[in-house]
């Protein structure tokens, strides 16, 4: 898995790059896989983390919603001789496939796969013309459905919140005008409109379409909601002493992970002048200094690591708490399902 396309370099916008697992050393240090342990790789992708965990002697159950990733991993499963199991499913479905308190570790890499970016027909990159798709699971509502059907107000919120695009309203209104003439079908069609509406300035480090494409991909795949649900599922799936490791690439993702670990740390908040009503038990304690980021050497080798942040926690013996996502900063946006068909 790799960083978001808004990183500012040619690779991050869709240029070919060999697969390099991001923050691999930091992931292995926090995850500490060992022989006899069972680890879940929630985002299999090209199998970089899974391969390293297997090499350390642990068994791996790996998830990926992308059928192409599952098919590409078949040889790796065969070579692992029973120590690797691949499951085509969203990682939020974790508890449908593993027992509660059964895992020694779980790692998530919340980014888009380099394989997906590099395939024009998947529609993730504006650097390659292809269908305006962006569906990691290759099913459901596509980016084209969103662009052609969503209200201007909803597009504005999607681009502004998920992409932090300052011209969100202007771009949304231009899309409304253009789609009345001809529906959007390709990545270049949408990128071309954005370039006309919001031309690149000399001081801009990224392409004008970067943030809109990032927002659409995040929305189409419900990436923030998926992340939040998976954090709660991991709390139930990990045994005492189990380790949860999450690598994120965008501030919205990192905020959710940071808030989760803060909430689950058991630290009381409030006025120091008022008595504590109750002190919650911590379900996680931090592993080392947080967050872990890439050093200069890794950034030079893999530019997509520049925005990566790793946060991790050690599962305590305290019972799992409630799973209400309202405690996490997940944006409330228009229902995705209403835009399909």
């Amino acid at each position: 898995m790799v960083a978001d396309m808004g990183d500012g370099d040619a690779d991050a916008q869709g240029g070919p790059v060999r697969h390099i697992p991001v923050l691999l050393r930091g992931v292995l240090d926090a995850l500490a896989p060992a022989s006899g342990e069972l680890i879940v790789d929630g985002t299999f992708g090209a199998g970089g983390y899974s391969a390293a965990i297997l090499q350390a002697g642990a068994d791996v159950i790996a998830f990926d919603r992308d059928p192409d990733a599952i098919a590409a991993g078949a040889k790796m499963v065969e070579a692992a001789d029973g120590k690797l199991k691949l499951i085509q499913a969203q990682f939020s479905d974790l508890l449908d496939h593993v027992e509660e308190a059964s895992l020694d570790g779980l790692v998530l890499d919340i980014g888009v796969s380099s394989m997906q970016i590099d395939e024009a027909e998947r529609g993730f990159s504006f650097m390659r013309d292809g269908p305006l798709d962006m569906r990691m699971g290759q099913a459901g509502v596509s980016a084209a459905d969103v662009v052609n059907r969503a209200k201007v107000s909803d597009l504005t919120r999607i681009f502004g919140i998920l992409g932090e695009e300052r011209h969100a309203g202007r771009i949304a209104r231009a899309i409304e005008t253009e789609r009345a003439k001809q529906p959007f079908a390709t990545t270049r069609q949408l990128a071309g409109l954005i370039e006309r509406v919001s031309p690149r300035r000399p001081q801009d480090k990224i392409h004008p379409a970067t943030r809109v494409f990032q927002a659409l991909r995040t929305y189409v795949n419900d990436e923030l909601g998926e992340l939040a649900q998976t954090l709660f599922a991991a709390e139930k799936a990990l045994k005492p002493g189990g380790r949860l490791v999450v690598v994120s690439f965008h501030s919205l993702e990192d905020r959710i992970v940071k808030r989760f670990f803060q909430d689950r740390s058991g630290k009381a908040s409030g006025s120091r002048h008022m008595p504590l009503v109750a002190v919650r038990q911590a379900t996680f304690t931090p592993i080392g200094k947080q967050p872990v980021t890439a050093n200069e050497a890794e950034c030079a080798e893999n530019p997509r690591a520049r925005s990566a942040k790793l946060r991790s926690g050690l599962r305590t013996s305290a019972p799992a708490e409630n799973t209400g996502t309202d405690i996490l900063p997940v944006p409330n946006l228009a229902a995705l399902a209403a835009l399909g068909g």
Side-chain angles (χ1 to χ4, degrees), residues 76 81 83 106 110 112 131 173 230 283 286 322:
M76 188 171 166
D81 195 25
K83 292 180 69 64
L106 187 152
I110 313 300
V112 63
R173 290 189 295 273
T230 305
T283 59
N322 73 77

Side-chain angles (χ1 to χ4, degrees), residues 141-142 145-146 149-151 154-155 157-158 219-220 222 331-341:
V141 178
S142 70
D145 292 326
V146 176
R149 298 171 184 266
K151 298 177 182 177
D154 290 332
L155 286 177
R157 283 177 53 78
I158 291 167
Y219 180 68
V220 164
D222 188 25
N332 184 19
L333 300 170
L336 180 65
L339 303 176

